[in-house]
Amino acid sequence: MLSTHWDEILGFIREFELSSREYLQSKGLSEYEMTNAYLDLQWDFLHTILQQRSRGRSQS
């Protein structure tokens, strides 16, 4: 059961990476710009997850 949960998480992360790259490419960014923009997207993604997690704990 736990491996299924981790498989879902990894699938979600991979989908985020793929869709983020496609989004940045559609904006016409250079490879250098894409690297920086992708790091910004990852940071925002992580920050959102951590905010959701802390809200969930405060509501418990």
Side-chain angles (χ1 to χ4, degrees):
M1 181 96 102
L2 185 59
S3 69
T4 302
H5 180 68
W6 285 112
D7 290 341
E8 288 179 25
I9 292 170
L10 289 175
F12 181 76
I13 291 170
R14 287 184 184 121
E15 181 62 32
F16 172 78
E17 290 175 349
L18 180 60
S19 63
S20 296
R21 183 163 181 79
E22 290 172 353
Y23 170 77
L24 295 173
Q25 285 175 332
S26 75
K27 294 294 183 185
L29 299 177
S30 70
E31 283 298 318
Y32 176 78
E33 292 170 318
M34 273 185 43
T35 301
N36 291 330
Y38 185 65
L39 288 173
D40 287 340
L41 286 174
Q42 286 177 319
W43 175 252
D44 291 342
F45 180 62
L46 177 60
H47 187 70
T48 299
I49 290 170
L50 293 174
Q51 280 183 333
Q52 293 295 325
R53 204 168 166 214
S54 68
R55 283 186 202 147
R57 287 185 178 172
S58 66
Q59 292 177 355
S60 297

